[in-house]
């Protein structure tokens, strides 16, 4: 059973894909629940939600054209805690083909690198040249407090501007 349920439906503007639920998110039963994680604040700051949502409201994001999933649905912890077997890129690809969002946005280079079959060092932030069917792929700086040194809200704003256009 998945740690957190997918929040997916057809024709979403953007599906945010995390790597795995953090220990705090798993305990709280909500995406991006760690108070040091900037995900919910960032969605509001860049204009993807009209107000700041609490992690417990994660099921409501489809009202804003947003979906949520993880590439390691059965695991918890930081990227560095996960093993190769925790990732399921094939299942994620099937979900994207089924629901065909406009954009699939990875909230970490680790998740994107596994999905794309490359290393994190070979990935750039922003829109990727590869897609899945009609879905465009993006790689975003992680909003996790553990990844703060890589944080850059400008890439999130660029994504939001494309979504809102």
């Amino acid at each position: 059973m998945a740690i957190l349920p997918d929040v997916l439906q057809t024709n979403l503007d953007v599906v945010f894909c995390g790597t795995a639920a953090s220990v705090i998110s798993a305990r709280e039963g909500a995406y991006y629940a760690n108070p040091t994680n900037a995900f919910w604040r960032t969605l509001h700051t860049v204009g993807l939600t009209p107000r700041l949502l609490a992690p417990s409201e994660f099921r409501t994001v489809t009202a804003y054209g947003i979906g949520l999933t993880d590439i390691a649905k059965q695991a918890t912890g930081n990227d560095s805690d996960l093993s190769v077997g925790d990732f399921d890129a094939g299942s994620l690809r099937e979900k994207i083909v089924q629901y065909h969002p406009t954009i699939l946005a990875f909230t970490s280079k680790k998740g994107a690198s596994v999905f794309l079959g490359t290393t994190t060092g070979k990935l750039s932030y922003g829109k990727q040249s590869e897609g899945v069917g009609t879905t465009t792929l993006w790689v975003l700086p992680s909003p996790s407090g553990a990844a703060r040194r890589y944080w850059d809200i400008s890439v999130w704003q660029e994504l939001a501007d494309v979504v809102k256009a």
Side-chain angles (χ1 to χ4, degrees):
M1 181 173 185
I3 304 297
L4 294 173
D6 287 328
V7 180
L8 298 171
Q9 64 185 36
T10 57
N11 299 317
L12 292 168
D13 296 323
V14 59
V15 170
F16 289 100
C17 181
T19 305
S22 72
V23 172
I24 292 172
S25 288
R27 184 183 69 226
E28 298 295 320
Y31 283 87
Y32 306 100
N34 190 323
T36 66
N37 194 300
F39 180 80
W40 297 107
R41 289 186 304 277
T42 300
L43 289 189
H44 178 62
T45 299
V46 301
L48 289 175
T49 59
R51 65 178 179 81
L52 177 61
L53 298 175
S56 62
E57 296 178 277
F58 74 90
R59 289 177 181 85
T60 69
V61 295
T62 57
Y64 309 110
I66 296 169
L68 300 168
T69 192
D70 295 303
I71 192 167
K73 293 297 294 177
Q74 310 299 323
T76 61
N78 295 328
D79 291 3
S80 59
D81 299 330
L82 305 176
S83 68
V84 173
D86 290 328
F87 295 91
D88 190 352
S91 179
L92 175 59
R93 188 171 296 273
E94 289 172 10
K95 291 173 194 176
I96 298 310
V97 168
Q98 177 182 354
Y99 293 104
H100 47 84
T102 303
I103 296 168
L104 172 61
F106 291 93
T107 62
S108 76
K109 276 191 171 182
K110 179 64 176 181
S113 70
V114 170
F115 187 78
L116 294 169
T118 189
T119 62
T120 57
K122 291 185 178 179
L123 285 176
S124 298
Y125 290 120
K127 184 179 176 182
Q128 304 299 298
S129 58
E130 183 177 331
V132 176
T134 59
T135 300
T136 303
L137 303 182
W138 281 67
V139 178
L140 301 169
S142 174
S144 169
R148 193 64 61 220
R149 67 178 170 251
Y150 303 109
W151 180 244
D152 181 0
I153 198 170
S154 70
V155 184
W156 287 74
Q157 187 64 63
E158 183 182 347
L159 170 72
D161 292 346
V162 169
V163 168
K164 294 184 289 184

